[in-house]
Structure formats: C-alpha cells, structure tokens
Amino acid sequence: MEIREKGSEFLKEELYKAQKELKLKDEECERLCKVRAQLEQELEELTASLFEEAHKMVREANMKQATSEKQLKEAWGKIDMLQAEVTALKTLVITSTPASPNRELHPQLLSPTKAGPRKGHSRQKSTSSSLCPVVCPTAGHIPTPDKEGKEVDTTLFAEFQAWRASPTLDKNCPFLERVYREDVGPCLDFTVQELSALVRTAVEDNTLTIEPVASQTLPAVKVPTVECNNTNTCALSGLARTCHHRIRLGDSDSHYYISPSSRARITAVCNFFTYIRYIQQGLVRQDAEPMFWEIMRLRKGMSLAKLGFFPQEA
C-alpha cells in the first residue's frame, strides 16, 4: 500500500508538472498567434502602402513623361522651323551673285520706312514699290493699269487671295497648281528626266544645295548618259557647257555639275518657293497687292530662265 501511495503521488506530481508545462505552452502559443496576427496586419498595411506609393510614383512618372514628350515635340518643332530658316538663308547666300545680291532678292521683306532707295541693277528691283491700285475682284472693283503698263489678271488674283487666306504648300490648290503647271514644271523640265525629278523633289522639300565649283572637288556619281564629275558637261541638260556650280540633293554626298542656264532655272524656282514659304510662316507682313506682284515678278523670273535668259556670272 505504501508503495502504491508513493507511486500515486509521484504520478500526480508528474501530471501536475505536465499540466503546468502544457499551460505554459498554450500561453506561449497564444502569444505567438497574437504576434503573428499583428505581423500579418502590419505586413498587409505595409503592402497596401507600398502599392499606393508605387501607383502614385507611376502616375507622376507618366505625367512627367507626357510633359517631357510635349516639350520635346515643341522643341523639335522649333528646331525644324529654325533649320528651315537656316536652309532658306543658306540658299539665298549660295545663290547670290554680284549681279543679283541677296539684299535684292526679296525687297518686299523690308518695311517701307526702312527699305528706302536702293542701289544696284534696275532689273533686280522689285515692282512692289510701284503697284497698280488693285482690289479684290469680288468686291466689285476692276483693277486699273498703272504707269508701267501692268494690269492684274482677276482670275490669278482671286486664286492668290484664296490661297493667301490659308497658305499651304499643297500643289493641288488652284493657285499653286497653276504655278506648277505654267512655271515650275516647265522651268525644271530638263533633258535628263530622272535627275530632273530628283531636283524638283529636292526643291519642293527645301533640301537642294547649290555650291560654287572649287579648284579641287571630290568625284561624284554618274547618272545615265551624263558624267556628273565633268565640269564641262551639264548634268541636267547633257550639253557641253562650262559649269561653275554644282548641286547636292539632300544629305547625299553626290554632286552634279550644272551650267549657268540650269543654275538660273533652279534658283528662279527656289526664289519662288522661298517667298511662298515666308508667306506661309507669316514673315511677310504686307497687303495682298504687293505680295501678289512680287509673286508675279518671281513667276516672270522663272519664265525668263526657262526661255534661256539669265544674268552673266562674274
């Protein structure tokens, strides 16, 4: 009996210890569960915060990207405009000769107060300084001839007025379609048709360059039936002529030597396109009549160049 009682007490003590340890473990488990729950909640809140911050950063980045792209587009537009102006001015400089200096090419760009009397050859003076009193035919007034015997063609003036209201370089509009058909096309219609088409495209795109022939030049490419690197043969007409200038189309490294007559025809067309680009860009601030007569003067220059008239080079 004594042994049984001692064994029972021992078992009771062991059971009490086991229950006490189990209770401690339960408490530890409960504490760990609370810690886990707290960590899960904090992790969930942190994840939500991170996602919200990430979305905010993405939105800000998209807004900054859109702003940057807009500014870049505007900057490229300004660069293109400046490059067009530089190219136009470069064309004026390159095509200048002592017989036709650049300051005489577009006197209409000068204000009446600053233009004043100019010296030079009388054939280079603009007729815009002595214009006939022309008004739009749609207003019911009929243009009358001036002292020089000029008289406005009402159809041409009406087409010009319609084009001037919304200037464009689209060759399908009535005004430019007529100029292309009557002046630009014939003036740039050379014997070598393939090169003529390339020249016409370069003139329209404002990417044609005319350079004086240096004493030593790099060899250029060939076109059918014409040696482009022969300074005694015009690459456009194919005729044996002494070539003092050469042309380059766009960014090409190839040069084509041209005769004085071909150069005069090209520069006459370039002068016309330069002026209408100035009008389109709003650089010519004049009434319709002076602008119309300046265009007529440029068209006259194309017609004369097509017929073989050109100033002698110094």
Side-chain angles (χ1 to χ4, degrees):
M1 290 294 294
E2 184 178 357
I3 294 174
R4 185 179 296 177
E5 289 177 357
K6 288 182 178 181
S8 177
E9 291 177 359
F10 176 76
L11 291 175
K12 287 179 179 180
E13 290 178 358
E14 290 296 325
L15 179 61
Y16 177 75
K17 289 180 180 180
Q19 289 177 347
K20 187 176 180 180
E21 291 178 358
L22 183 60
K23 184 178 180 180
L24 292 175
K25 290 183 178 180
D26 290 339
E27 292 176 354
E28 182 68 17
C29 288
E30 185 177 357
R31 186 181 68 82
L32 292 175
C33 288
K34 290 181 179 180
V35 171
R36 186 182 65 178
Q38 184 179 359
L39 290 176
E40 288 178 351
Q41 183 178 0
E42 291 179 356
L43 180 61
E44 184 177 353
E45 292 176 355
L46 180 60
T47 302
S49 176
L50 289 175
F51 272 107
E52 183 178 356
E53 186 68 22
H55 284 299
K56 183 179 179 181
M57 293 175 64
V58 170
R59 286 195 300 270
E60 292 178 353
N62 290 335
M63 292 177 62
K64 291 181 179 179
Q65 182 180 0
T67 303
S68 300
E69 290 178 352
K70 182 179 178 181
Q71 292 175 349
L72 179 62
K73 186 177 180 180
E74 293 176 353
W76 276 116
K78 293 179 181 179
I79 291 174
D80 290 340
M81 182 178 297
L82 292 175
Q83 286 179 343
E85 290 303 312
V86 170
T87 303
L89 293 175
K90 182 180 177 182
T91 301
L92 293 180
V93 171
I94 291 175
T95 58
S96 175
T97 65
S100 56
N102 289 333
R103 59 187 177 85
E104 297 292 341
L105 287 176
H106 298 293
Q108 69 287 343
L109 297 178
L110 300 175
S111 62
T113 58
K114 295 182 179 180
R118 294 183 298 273
K119 297 180 180 180
H121 299 282
S122 59
R123 63 183 176 185
Q124 289 294 329
K125 294 183 179 179
S126 171
T127 58
S128 60
S129 60
S130 56
L131 300 172
C132 65
V134 183
V135 294
C136 181
T138 57
H141 297 81
I142 300 177
T144 58
D146 65 2
K147 296 180 180 179
E148 297 183 0
K150 295 183 302 182
E151 184 175 352
V152 171
D153 184 297
T154 55
T155 302
L156 297 180
F157 191 75
E159 292 177 353
F160 168 72
Q161 285 280 61
W163 175 83
R164 180 173 174 265
S166 181
T168 177
L169 297 180
D170 183 8
K171 66 181 70 175
N172 294 321
C173 71
F175 169 68
L176 289 183
E177 191 276 332
R178 179 188 294 272
V179 177
Y180 266 88
R181 184 180 69 254
E182 297 179 356
D183 301 308
V184 175
C187 199
L188 296 181
D189 185 16
F190 296 97
T191 304
V192 183
Q193 293 294 318
E194 182 180 355
L195 183 57
S196 298
L198 296 177
V199 169
R200 177 169 173 171
T201 301
V203 171
E204 293 174 351
D205 297 338
N206 200 22
T207 58
L208 182 139
T209 304
I210 302 179
E211 305 172 346
V213 177
S215 57
Q216 292 183 350
T217 57
L218 295 175
V221 299
K222 297 181 179 180
V223 294
T225 73
V226 178
E227 288 286 335
C228 294
N229 59 349
N230 186 357
T231 57
N232 293 320
T233 302
C234 177
L236 288 168
S237 65
L239 300 176
R241 297 289 186 272
T242 301
C243 303
H244 301 292
H245 293 82
R246 64 184 185 180
I247 59 174
R248 182 163 55 89
L249 308 179
D251 297 330
S252 174
D253 294 330
S254 304
H255 295 84
Y256 304 90
Y257 292 91
I258 57 175
S259 65
S261 175
S262 298
R263 171 179 174 268
R265 291 166 65 173
I266 294 174
T267 54
V269 177
C270 288
N271 291 340
F272 169 78
F273 275 102
T274 298
Y275 185 60
I276 64 173
R277 287 192 186 98
Y278 283 161
I279 296 177
Q280 185 192 34
Q281 296 167 9
L283 300 178
V284 183
R285 301 185 181 277
Q286 282 189 327
D287 294 334
E289 300 167 17
M291 294 167 63
F292 174 79
W293 278 116
E294 178 59 22
I295 288 178
M296 293 303 103
R297 185 186 71 83
L298 295 171
R299 291 188 63 183
K300 177 182 177 182
M302 288 188 283
S303 298
L304 291 176
K306 168 60 180 174
L307 294 174
F309 296 94
F310 58 92
Q312 292 293 330
E313 300 178 355

